[in-house]
Structures are given as C-alpha cells and as structure tokens.
Amino acid sequence: MPAAVPAVPATSPRITRAVQFRPPALGRAAPFCFDGPMDKLKILGGTRLAGEITVSGAKNAALPILAASLLTADEFIVDNVPQLQDVATTLKLLKQMGVAVERDNATVRLKADSVTRTEAPYELVKTMRASILVLGPLVARAGSARVSLPGGCAIGARPVDQHIKGLEALGATIRIENGFVVAEAKRLRGARIATDMVTVTGTENLMMAATLADGETIIENAAREPEVVDLAAALSAMGARIQGAGSDRIVIQGVERLHGARHRVMPDRIETGTFLSAVVAAGGSAVLRGAAAETLGAVLGKLREAGAQIDAQNGALRIRMDSRPRAVSLRTAPYPDFPTDMQAQFMALNCVADGVGEITETIFENRFMHVHELQRLGANITIDGNMATVQGVYKLAGAPVMATDLRASASLIVAALAAEGETTVDRIYHLDRGYEKMEAKLAALGAIVHRTR
Ligand code: EPZ
C-alpha cells in the first residue's frame, strides 16, 4: 500500500488567490445553466493545484438508469444525477415519450404511467448518441420503437448493429427506415446473445430489454464496466432478476413487470480520473470526496507509474504530485483495462512528462482529435495509425485551442493547467455534456479559470 498522502492544507494560499481572481459572477452559487454554445474557458496555467472537491454522479451510469424509467409504470426515483447537458437531453426525450419528470437538484423523480410516444427524433438523437438507450426499454415496455439512427460523431462511426442484432435475437422485428430504427415485438422472448465486440450501451440496451422478456436471456461477451453494474443494481431494485453483471456473461430471467424503486447513481470514475490527471500534470495535491477507487484500478496504476502518490481513505481519494510526471505508455481496452475515456487526459499528462509515452487507442477509430490542439500548446506528438507517441517537453505554452469532443475538452484543460501562460479553450459546450460545474471545481483546486463568451 503506498505511503499515506499527507492531508491537503485546509486553506491553501492558492485557493484565496483563485477566489480573488474569479469574477464575482462565479462567487455566488449561480443557478445551474448551460451557457451559450460558443462559450470559452480561459485558464492561466503553470501553478500547482491544491484543494478538495466532491465527485459528481456518473454520466454514463445516469443515462441508462434514467432510460430504465420506461420499464415501469411506477415512480422511479434516481439520486445523485449530475447536472449535465446529456442528462437534460435524456430527460427532454423521456418527457416527449410521456414520462412525468420532476427534478430537484440531484434527485430526479420519473413516472412512465403510460408511454404515449415511442419515437426518439433525429433532432435530439443527433445531439446525443446515448439516446439509443431508449430503444430496448421501449420495445420491452411498449412493444414498439422508432429511434433515429445516431449517426457518427467526432470520435468514430459508432454503429448500433449489435443493439439491433441483440433485439432481433430477442424476437423483435427491426427495419431501418428513413434513418430510423423501427422495432416491433408483441412480447420479447429470452435468448442467448453473443455480441461481436464488447459494447457498453449495447449490453445495457439488451439487459434492459431482457428484464421484461419471456424466459431466460444470456448475454455473452457482455461489457463489464461499473456503469453496467450500476444499471443492473437499479434494475434489480425494480424487481428485475439479473445475475453476472460485471462479468462477461450476464443472465436475466424475464419478469411480467417491474415496480418502482429508488437508486443512487455511482460516482463518476472518468471525472475522478480527469481531476487526478490534472493534479499529476500541473503538480500539487487534492482530495476527491466520494470517489470510488475500486472502479479506477487501471487508471490509478498508471498514475502511480507516473509518480503520483494516491491514497484511498474514507470514501475519498487523496493525491499528491511533487515532481515532474514520468511518461507512461498505455493501451485502451474494455473494463477492467485502461478506459478509452481517459486516453485524451493521459495524452495531456504525457505532454509534460519526463520521457516518451506511447498511447494506443483500440476502441474508437478517430479518438486523437485532441492531438492537433495539444500541438498548438507546444506538445511533441506523432501519430502512426492508432498509436500516438508523445515526447514530453519541459513546459507547454498557453495558446487559443478548440475542443472537438467531450474528453478532448478535458485533455485541453489538463494541458492548459500545466502550460505557462493563458490558454483559451473554445467550444466548451462539448465539456458541458459530461462535466458538472467544471470551472467551479477547478477553482476549488486553486486553478485560475473563468468562463467567457
Ligand atoms: C460508451 O459508449 C460510453 N458512452 C462512451 O463514453 C465510452 O467511450 C464507450 O462506451 C467505451 O467505453 C456511454 O456509456 C453513454 P461501445 P458506447 O458500444 O456504448 C463499436 C464518453 O466520453 N460498436 O462500447 O457507444 C463502437 O464503434 C463516451 O463519456 C459497434 O461496432 O461504446 C466502438 O468501436 C464517449 N457496433 C466499440 O464497439 C455496435 O452496435 C465500443 O463501443 C456497438 C458498438
């Protein structure tokens, strides 16, 4: 067990300075709102971080769990739901389907008395691919669904053929019509499904559909991500009969109906990893309250390899970084291996590390969009196919950069915190999709940051 990380001083000089710097608008608890689409974040980097933050609920657990509300006519209450653009989009989609939705900060009460509309329109789906997560619940509960094909996104083509193949195995008839997936099924029947590759939302969609199927369903090659386990826990609380979530073989015994329940969303492991990467890149220390260390094994291992001291205590993660990070090499893969959603943040960390790090992306075909922006900050990165070789430089220099997708935004922020001078990250609406109150949390860690138009 690594040596215990000394506690973070309660009042770090940096935090007071950051508070002085922040415009008054950020001083008070501003009502949550998604700022204009062209918002920018200005970051004055080059100084160490110190402070404490609380990790929010996991976006990638909340989205399928909210979709699961379609599976029951009873009230389903979800706690620890993060305030994110993707969550707002999901709730808007559910409301359009007739789900009664009430939100009180991090608690959302949902009641799908009757599903009055089984369509997910292109206008919503094109803004959030995870809308595909209503497909399985709609077919299972309402016997039909018309969900727009998500289309590609910045990081890749991201087809949904496995979702379709699995639902057909469960007895749904599916056709593609004018860019929509049109599915029908009187009642789904249990089946053995083996996905061609590990798919997180594919596993989640099929698991949700199978809860109301007639008979037993076995999902082989299932995704093992903690978010799948969290969804299974929520479904079980609703009366679903699921075994094996977290393994690559999930067995579901279908039931006639699901009942209401209350479930608390797990902490966001990618948000946790993002802030840990920021401390390693910029130096300093931090306490992340509510972090679930057990969901971040591969990431913590790489951070320790980079030289960080990390200690899990009383439901919090403490990290200290007193030296320049050592370069690390990694290869993304399905859980429990290194998560693709942390690849961009580690690329940023490697940019200022001592040595050469090789990063291989095996999940998505175009997830190096952050590289060109990092090069604008002075990073020395070469790409060969799905591998990026990063030669660490002693210092990056702040510059205007542009976010291209959610985790690329995070990568640019990590790099900006380590860079000398001011960096402006443009198009941070990408960031607002998946990080709750990012600038307030960065400021609490002593970063000098503010949002501007
Ligand atoms: C989930 O996306 C996450 N999103 C992603 O997080 C994450 O990067 C990804 O899993 C991998 O961990 C949510 O959970 C909402 P996949 P998902 O299906 O389910 C291919 C973030 O930043 N594939 O596991 O869409 C696919 O193209 C986001 O928070 C098919 O070919 O990813 C990819 O190459 C980004 N056919 C691979 O499988 C299918 O039917 C894994 O994709 C499904 C997937």
Side-chain angles (χ1 to χ4, degrees):
M1 186 68 175
V5 175
V8 167
T11 49
S12 145
R14 281 202 42 73
I15 295 180
T16 40
R17 206 174 78 164
V19 169
Q20 284 154 10
F21 174 84
R22 279 185 308 172
L26 276 181
R28 59 178 192 281
F32 189 86
C33 63
F34 296 110
D35 294 285
M38 301 313 281
D39 273 5
K40 302 177 172 63
L41 269 195
K42 279 193 187 301
I43 294 170
L44 190 57
T47 53
R48 293 168 61 80
L49 299 177
E52 294 195 19
I53 57 170
T54 299
V55 172
S56 299
K59 167 179 86 81
N60 290 349
L63 300 183
I65 289 168
L66 292 170
S69 62
L70 290 163
L71 292 166
T72 177
D74 298 347
E75 182 176 60
F76 178 41
I77 303 170
V78 189
D79 296 308
N80 201 30
V81 178
Q83 303 228 20
L84 303 171
Q85 185 57 51
D86 277 9
V87 167
T89 304
T90 301
L91 295 180
K92 185 175 176 184
L93 180 58
L94 292 172
K95 280 183 199 165
Q96 283 185 3
M97 293 174 179
V99 181
V101 175
E102 272 176 53
R103 168 149 221 178
D104 173 13
N105 286 317
T107 293
V108 180
R109 308 173 86 91
L110 305 111
K111 197 163 189 315
D113 263 333
S114 60
V115 178
T116 53
R117 186 176 178 218
T118 59
E119 172 160 326
Y122 178 62
E123 295 64 44
L124 272 181
V125 174
K126 71 179 178 186
T127 67
M128 186 188 69
R129 308 180 30 68
S131 308
I132 195 71
L133 284 164
V134 300
L135 179 62
L138 283 175
V139 178
R141 171 80 189 283
S144 72
R146 188 168 185 275
V147 176
S148 167
L149 277 168
C153 76
I155 62 178
R158 302 188 70 187
V160 290
D161 55 301
Q162 301 297 309
H163 301 239
I164 292 169
K165 179 184 149 191
L167 286 171
E168 285 176 331
L170 291 171
T173 53
I174 296 188
R175 63 183 189 281
I176 306 296
E177 194 180 77
N178 307 109
F180 280 81
V181 178
V182 182
E184 265 127 24
K186 285 222 177 337
R187 180 163 186 208
L188 295 173
R189 60 176 188 280
R192 183 185 160 283
I193 304 166
T195 56
D196 298 344
M197 82 289 295
V198 175
T199 159
V200 175
T201 51
T203 300
E204 292 165 344
N205 235 336
L206 298 174
M207 184 165 69
M208 286 191 279
T211 59
L212 295 179
D214 180 15
E216 177 179 84
T217 296
I218 300 173
I219 304 174
E220 309 262 5
N221 202 21
R224 300 169 56 189
E225 271 68 5
E227 292 77 15
V228 173
V229 176
D230 204 29
L231 172 62
L235 293 168
S236 302
M238 298 163 82
R241 296 171 55 198
I242 301 172
Q243 287 172 333
S247 79
D248 61 1
R249 186 175 188 273
I250 302 177
V251 182
I252 303 111
Q253 302 297 337
V255 294
E256 286 299 316
R257 63 181 296 278
L258 294 183
H259 53 69
R262 184 159 196 160
H263 179 79
R264 179 179 177 79
V265 173
M266 63 175 275
D268 194 315
R269 61 192 174 102
I270 304 302
E271 181 195 31
T272 305
T274 301
F275 283 107
L276 293 173
S277 310
V279 174
V280 173
S285 59
V287 176
L288 277 61
R289 289 185 298 267
E294 67 279 6
T295 63
L296 274 165
V299 173
L300 298 185
K302 285 295 172 187
L303 292 168
R304 288 182 173 122
E305 194 182 314
Q309 296 174 54
I310 302 175
D311 184 27
Q313 256 180 16
N314 317 324
L317 269 179
R318 293 170 184 276
I319 183 167
R320 183 163 209 93
M321 189 70 190
D322 292 326
S323 58
R324 182 184 178 194
R326 290 189 293 271
V328 293
S329 290
L330 59 93
R331 181 182 177 81
T332 66
Y335 194 87
D337 291 335
F338 192 91
T340 175
D341 292 349
M342 282 300 305
Q343 179 257 103
Q345 297 90 316
F346 266 71
M347 180 98 64
L349 181 163
N350 267 344
C351 288
V352 292
D354 180 8
V356 177
E358 289 181 345
I359 291 181
T360 306
E361 172 58 60
T362 71
I363 305 291
F364 293 110
E365 66 269 27
N366 188 33
R367 204 168 197 177
F368 284 155
M369 305 277 279
H370 39 286
V371 169
H372 305 303
E373 299 303 308
L374 290 169
Q375 287 167 335
R376 289 180 47 74
L377 299 172
N380 179 347
I381 307 171
T382 51
I383 295 179
D384 176 9
N386 69 341
M387 185 166 83
T389 301
V390 187
Q391 166 71 57
V393 295
Y394 197 65
K395 270 288 169 202
L396 296 174
V401 290
M402 188 168 71
T404 50
D405 58 81
L406 171 56
R407 305 304 174 182
S409 323
S411 165
L412 295 174
I413 288 170
V414 170
L417 292 167
E420 286 290 345
E422 182 177 274
T423 296
T424 303
V425 183
D426 201 350
R427 300 192 175 180
I428 55 159
Y429 58 85
H430 291 290
L431 191 78
D432 293 335
R433 296 191 48 181
Y435 287 94
E436 184 179 46
K437 304 186 184 81
M438 172 60 100
E439 60 263 39
K441 292 184 178 180
L442 287 172
L445 293 179
I448 300 175
V449 55
H450 74 278
R451 185 182 284 252
T452 175
R453 290 214 187 268

